[in-house]
Amino acid sequence: MTMSERELNRVEVLAQVDDGRLSVDNAANMLNLTRRQIFRLLKVYRQDGASAIRHKARGKPPNNRIHHARRDYALSVIKESYADFGPPLVAEMLAKHQTGTGKGWTATEGQTPQRKERLQKDRTPSARTSLKDGSVL
């Protein structure tokens, strides 16, 4: 897998520290880390190489994800009972069913229009009001 810009920068700085071209203090300042963190990263870098600096959770599903069956159930409840509700009210109603928020789910299913897709209302600016002392807001 490819590394991010931040991870590549870390590897480059750690390589310089490992070669003795850069001090630990300078590396800590460059990476905005403490000396202790630099030593911890150096230990891992020396053991496993540049790939050890990569974030370990990359490519893995999040621990707090909601199961697909629960998501499908929530979407069916929304379609049956709350099709004309907006995302905040849908979330409130789903809380009664204990199925999760559902705000993003309805948007991805195309049920509620995203903010950009909503029709813009014609708004005329209100007249300026003056204060007692004659100044204008």
Side-chain angles (χ1 to χ4, degrees), residues 52-118:
I53 303 303
R54 203 182 101 241
H55 197 279
K56 303 300 183 269
R58 180 178 295 161
K60 294 182 181 179
N63 292 333
N64 63 347
R65 78 170 167 204
I66 296 172
H67 196 272
H68 292 295
R70 187 175 211 164
R71 181 181 185 273
D72 293 340
Y73 170 71
L75 286 171
S76 68
V77 168
I78 292 169
K79 287 177 185 175
E80 291 173 12
S81 306
Y82 310 118
D84 57 340
F85 288 20
L89 194 52
V90 166
E92 186 178 318
M93 294 299 149
L94 285 180
K96 293 178 183 177
H97 293 278
Q98 298 176 349
T99 58
T101 61
K103 283 184 182 180
W105 298 342
T106 55
T108 57
E109 293 293 320
Q111 286 186 321
T112 56
Q114 293 293 323
R115 188 173 299 273
K116 293 178 183 177
E117 297 172 3
R118 292 184 194 149

Side-chain angles (χ1 to χ4, degrees), residues 5 11 13 16 24 26-28 40 46 52 54 61 70-71 80 101 105 108 112 116 125 128 137:
E5 189 76 27
V11 169
V13 170
Q16 290 178 7
V24 174
N26 287 340
R40 183 188 64 81
R46 287 175 180 154
R54 203 182 101 241
R70 187 175 211 164
R71 181 181 185 273
E80 291 173 12
T101 61
W105 298 342
T108 57
T112 56
K116 293 178 183 177
R128 295 208 177 256
L137 287 175

Side-chain angles (χ1 to χ4, degrees), residues 1-16 30-31 33 38 40-41 45 49-59:
M1 273 190 189
T2 61
M3 294 180 118
S4 69
E5 189 76 27
R6 178 178 174 219
E7 291 166 343
L8 287 172
N9 187 34
R10 279 186 171 194
V11 169
E12 185 179 318
V13 170
L14 289 174
Q16 290 178 7
M30 289 174 69
L31 296 178
L33 297 172
I38 295 295
R40 183 188 64 81
L41 286 174
Y45 174 75
S51 62
I53 303 303
R54 203 182 101 241
H55 197 279
K56 303 300 183 269
R58 180 178 295 161

